[in-house]
Amino acid sequence: MLLEPMRSQLGVWRIERRPAATAWMRWASPLLALLLTAVIAAMLFAMLGKNPWQGLAVFFVEPLRNAYALSELALKATPLMLCALGLAIGFRANVWNIGAEGQFLLGAICAGWVALLDLASLGSVGLISLLLLAGMLGGMAWAGIVAWLRDRCNANEILVSLMLVYVAQLLLAWLVYGPMKDPAGFNFPQTPRFSAASVLPKLIEGTRLHIGFVVALLAALAAWLFMFRARAGHALQVAGLAPQAARYAGYSARRALWTSLLISGAAAGLAGAFEAAGPLRQLTPYVSAGYGFAAIIVAFVGRLHPLGIVLASLLLSMFFIGGELAQSRLGLPNALSGVFQGVLLFSLLACDALILYRLRRVV
Amino acid sequence: MNEINNLALLSTLIAATLSAGTPLLLAGLGLLVNERAGVVNLGAEGMMLLAAVAGFALALATGSDVLALAGGALAGALAALLFGVFAIYLNTNQYATGLALSLLGGGLSAFVGIDYVSRNLPRLPLTGIPWLSDLPWFGPALFRQHWAVYLALLLALLIGVFLQRSRAGLALRAVGESPESAHALGLPVRRVRLAAVCFGGACCGLAGAYLSVIYTPMWVEGMVAGRGWIALALTPFATWRASRVVIGAYLFGGVTLLQFHLQSIGVEISSALLSMLPYLATILVLALISRNPVWIQRNMPASLGRPFTPGQ
């Protein structure tokens, strides 16, 4: 670290650590991190022999080029937003649930199961409500296992929630290769297509954007009310920041654990249900494009704040779309999106740390 | 006749368990050392993936398994260096930084490895240890393995002795127990931690390269399949003791094989369900082991996961 004082005609200056980050820095840091990611991305494009401007345009301009592109951006932001809102509530309570991917898959499985039942008598509204509810319950059950093992056995929630992602992936694979496989599907690992009654209402005709996006925005509002206006939300955050103060105030750590995990599970499960019933319309082994993991980045980049998460989910959605476009336009692998996601999170951590240093005149 | 068959089956089982347990053992030992220095690196899975693709590329280019494993170890150590600079010098949250490394490693390995998918490496003939591998009964199973299998066991022995019996090991444990006291004694806390983290990365790298070059041998996106996370669960399972990491690694290695053996003896369960076993076993073991706080905390480094800045 550069901690030696620098002498010049302007006096003696040194770089020192600030005691605490100020409010504007908390929000400047993600922007700086995005800039840093773009610089690294441009260098990577140049190394790969592509025009850096063209490469950056694919990620940051093309996804915004017209109304249809924007509808796709919102479509992919929906699962990211829902998962990240749940995760943020957990992270604020110092509950490290990193298995949103598994909870998402369970939501998709449960919603798919309801969608394939013969429930035409319920009508469209009834069926859709039921399958969304089933998705939420599925996600909650999966996260509930994590909470139960942490509560009863003190088992580390990071490892348990992650192990359950693998179990959920294998459960989905078993279902679509076995009991739920479409008998008329030429032996492809997929379920039959969901019935017409379960088609989600579209927000804009001619696009794939469905009501899930509005629900996700409402969920962001609800999360904001819960975090900053509800006693339960406050108790949960105190439990995360200062467990002893929470105990003194009579806030239960167990309740914080259960509440945050069940909320995360419900949000991720709902996201999975929307994804299955919305753009996919059937279950395959590839229900998730990795939204549950990317949501961790969304939560951090969005500063664990609902408004930040709304913006960050749109940003990460750009990364997903950019990866697909990089494949079709530039002939680069789709996996590039994952690289940039990782770089973004590292950049954010670096900016958060470095922004804590300041230049101060000593003499 | 039946006895010979049973013997042959048991032999195969032992040989396969040793091979399947080796990546877990290598990674678990590395993570043990860096956790003993007080640092949790959740990036194990990412480091293993990066090393797997690096090792595979080297093996394809040079045909040498020595170079491939060494390259994998180097890749793992470099990835760990990135984590270490962030978590130890910039004081970023260890969990978040480790997760970032896992996500970056997953993405980067998939990106770099796209050209290596469905390329085949020739399976190396195993020469084994002369004389010992000709022993009757379990001679071939125990002694005709890739050298990395024995390297892992040797490493377990060396790390056990290092941590419990050497002065340097004591210093490393002091850094993990109480960095403040270690600092007051004049130990370079952050450098010790960085070295331990890089060693952990190198071991995870060896494990990753072993998977792609020796065990499978091929490269597929995400092929580490959670072994990095299972290795992270091995350290509490072993209550931070090297000898128990050995037991845990072979135990979990055996569980990963169970699916093949259950299928071979005609158990009618889908392979997807049987593949859940290692993950379910990890959850079960974590739950059982964590139930007893006295047991788990006896050897747990007291400052595990806590950052340290000298002079604060």
Side-chain angles (χ1 to χ4, degrees), chain B residues 11 29 97 179 224 239 275 278 307:
Chain B
S11 252
L29 287 169
T97 315
V224 174
T239 58
S275 304

Short mmCIF file of all heavy atoms in Angstrom, two decimals, chain B residues 11 29 97 179 224 239 275 278 307:
data_model
loop_
_atom_site.label_atom_id
_atom_site.label_comp_id
_atom_site.label_asym_id
_atom_site.label_seq_id
_atom_site.Cartn_x
_atom_site.Cartn_y
_atom_site.Cartn_z
N SER B 11 -11.42 -55.40 -4.79
CA SER B 11 -10.22 -54.77 -5.34
C SER B 11 -10.57 -53.55 -6.18
O SER B 11 -10.00 -52.48 -6.02
CB SER B 11 -9.47 -55.77 -6.21
OG SER B 11 -8.30 -56.16 -5.57
N LEU B 29 -7.04 -30.77 1.81
CA LEU B 29 -5.81 -30.45 2.53
C LEU B 29 -5.40 -29.00 2.33
O LEU B 29 -4.99 -28.31 3.26
CB LEU B 29 -4.67 -31.37 2.06
CG LEU B 29 -4.75 -32.82 2.52
CD1 LEU B 29 -3.73 -33.67 1.77
CD2 LEU B 29 -4.51 -32.91 4.02
N THR B 97 -15.86 -12.42 -1.51
CA THR B 97 -14.74 -12.54 -2.43
C THR B 97 -14.58 -13.97 -2.93
O THR B 97 -14.32 -14.21 -4.11
CB THR B 97 -13.44 -12.09 -1.74
OG1 THR B 97 -13.69 -10.88 -1.03
CG2 THR B 97 -12.35 -11.85 -2.74
N PRO B 179 -4.66 -13.31 15.33
CA PRO B 179 -3.73 -12.51 14.52
C PRO B 179 -3.10 -11.37 15.32
O PRO B 179 -1.94 -11.03 15.09
CB PRO B 179 -4.60 -12.00 13.37
CG PRO B 179 -6.00 -12.30 13.74
CD PRO B 179 -6.00 -13.37 14.76
N VAL B 224 -16.24 -30.00 -12.38
CA VAL B 224 -15.85 -30.24 -10.99
C VAL B 224 -17.08 -30.65 -10.16
O VAL B 224 -16.96 -31.35 -9.16
CB VAL B 224 -15.14 -29.00 -10.41
CG1 VAL B 224 -14.84 -29.15 -8.95
CG2 VAL B 224 -13.84 -28.77 -11.18
N THR B 239 -12.75 -31.68 11.62
CA THR B 239 -12.43 -30.77 12.73
C THR B 239 -11.00 -30.24 12.58
O THR B 239 -10.23 -30.19 13.53
CB THR B 239 -12.61 -31.43 14.12
OG1 THR B 239 -11.79 -32.58 14.19
CG2 THR B 239 -14.04 -31.80 14.36
N SER B 275 -27.02 -39.96 -8.35
CA SER B 275 -25.99 -38.91 -8.38
C SER B 275 -26.17 -37.90 -7.26
O SER B 275 -25.27 -37.12 -6.98
CB SER B 275 -26.02 -38.17 -9.72
OG SER B 275 -25.86 -39.07 -10.77
N PRO B 278 -23.70 -37.97 -3.18
CA PRO B 278 -22.62 -37.22 -2.54
C PRO B 278 -23.09 -35.91 -1.92
O PRO B 278 -22.61 -35.53 -0.84
CB PRO B 278 -21.63 -36.95 -3.67
CG PRO B 278 -22.13 -37.64 -4.86
CD PRO B 278 -23.43 -38.28 -4.57
N PRO B 307 -11.01 -10.63 9.27
CA PRO B 307 -9.89 -9.93 8.64
C PRO B 307 -8.97 -9.33 9.70
O PRO B 307 -9.34 -9.19 10.86
CB PRO B 307 -10.57 -8.83 7.82
CG PRO B 307 -11.87 -8.60 8.50
CD PRO B 307 -12.27 -9.90 9.14
#
